[in-house]
Amino acid sequence: MSTGGRRLRRIASWPHWYELNPYVELFYRALEPHGIEHVRHVPLTCLAITTARPAVDVVHLHWPEPYWREPARALPGRLWRVARLARVLGCSRRHGVRLVWTVHNLAPHEGFGLADRLGYRLLHRSADLRLFTSAWARSEALARWGGDPARALVVPIGNFDGAVPSPASRDVALRAANVPVDRRVLLCFGDVRPYKGFDVAVEALRHLRRGEFHLVVAGRPREPAAAAVRRAAYGREDVTLLIGEQPAELLSGLLGAADMVLLPYRRVTGSAADAR
């Protein structure tokens, strides 16, 4: 990676914790053969960025909203955090550190308030390079936020080979999850969050031929979405709920066994699942 003739070799990413998504680890592992080093566990502060050892050339943002959302619930606190982010980015730039932002979403899936708008505007204007998972998301972002098209690139989402185990056979995988093997299996997976509409998928089963389909919902609970899914599935024999942290082997097996993965989103804002 280079900017203005300067070779950039060391990247610190934020969020700087890595259990969020195997995608993060796989992304930087793929850069290693090109001489790019991932500098781990660097908080998003000017002091941490400019004194990191080894020295950091690039800060790479993935999901920025927690920076201003999670420490503050009220709007004034969130606005203060956006202003603080602007100072961090300005300080980092003065020390020669570049900013790359992978725009996973064009907006937060669950609400887009004033602090979010200002934070996104700041990042779209500050980033030396913006990465998008689809041409559609790039086009939408340029129309909405502007910026130099030459510094807005499409990097399609990769696969998760090496991050999850190979799936077991269909029968073994379904029996491990207590799912009937003689049905057509539909799967909703991932964090059970309101925008994903898993409860909509449960209700939609009523419109399918009885006894032919079985729905599995597997993922970590986020309230009130998980409660809505439980209510929708109460007393249903054609639904299996695996709401909680699931072993990678079980999820891999379900993905291999499912006849169809459902994405019944109420709202989606350019995530990899919506790549067009």
Side-chain angles (χ1 to χ4, degrees):
M1 180 185 296
S2 64
T3 302
R6 176 188 171 195
R7 182 70 176 171
L8 305 178
R9 295 187 178 278
R10 291 171 294 275
I11 299 178
S13 62
W14 198 92
H16 62 291
W17 52 93
Y18 301 101
E19 63 275 9
L20 286 174
N21 194 322
Y23 162 86
V24 175
E25 292 282 4
L26 293 170
F27 182 89
Y28 296 112
R29 193 183 304 167
L31 292 178
E32 288 176 358
H34 303 280
I36 306 299
E37 179 183 356
H38 185 205
V39 182
R40 297 160 97 42
H41 305 296
V42 178
L44 195 53
T45 68
C46 186
L47 180 63
I49 292 168
T50 57
T51 62
R53 293 293 178 268
V56 169
D57 299 311
V58 176
V59 170
H60 184 186
L61 296 182
H62 286 278
W63 297 275
E65 302 88 356
Y67 185 86
W68 57 78
R69 281 186 164 197
E70 292 188 357
R73 298 294 181 184
L75 179 60
R78 292 184 173 185
L79 294 176
W80 182 86
R81 292 285 297 183
V82 172
R84 179 177 173 179
L85 178 60
R87 292 196 296 272
V88 170
L89 297 180
C91 175
S92 300
R93 181 175 294 279
R94 289 193 295 274
H95 283 81
V97 178
R98 305 293 185 173
L99 174 65
V100 174
W101 179 23
T102 292
V103 189
H104 292 283
N105 308 309
L106 295 179
H109 294 307
E110 293 159 347
F112 195 44
L114 177 60
D116 302 308
R117 294 181 187 279
L118 293 176
Y120 271 56
R121 184 185 299 251
L122 167 69
L123 295 175
H124 278 290
R125 292 182 175 182
S126 301
D128 296 283
L129 183 65
R130 289 175 292 172
L131 306 179
F132 299 89
T133 56
S134 72
W136 174 84
R138 176 184 180 274
S139 175
E140 286 290 307
L142 289 172
R144 188 178 304 183
W145 301 102
D148 184 356
R151 295 179 179 270
L153 304 182
V154 176
V155 181
I157 199 78
N159 59 48
F160 278 36
D161 289 352
V164 294
S166 299
S169 69
R170 184 179 189 276
D171 284 8
V172 169
L174 295 182
R175 288 195 173 99
N178 293 316
V179 175
V181 299
D182 59 345
R183 307 280 180 88
R184 298 177 67 184
V185 176
L186 311 175
L187 175 65
C188 292
F189 76 100
D191 286 1
V192 184
R193 296 174 59 178
Y195 79 88
K196 291 189 175 181
F198 291 169
D199 55 317
V200 175
V202 175
E203 293 294 344
L205 276 180
R206 302 182 189 279
H207 301 280
L208 300 179
R209 187 176 303 168
R210 188 178 181 87
E212 184 176 349
F213 295 90
H214 193 92
L215 173 65
V216 180
V217 178
R220 293 173 293 190
R222 299 284 189 92
E223 302 300 347
V229 172
R230 292 188 185 99
R231 285 194 299 271
Y234 181 77
R236 301 285 298 271
E237 296 182 354
D238 53 356
V239 179
T240 295
L241 298 185
L242 301 172
I243 297 181
E245 192 75 38
Q246 303 301 325
E249 294 80 3
L250 185 142
L251 183 56
S252 174
L254 288 173
L255 285 166
D259 294 281
M260 185 175 293
V261 173
L262 304 182
L263 304 172
Y265 288 3
R266 288 186 169 89
R267 175 181 172 83
V268 66
T269 58
S271 75
D274 191 45
R276 306 180 191 186

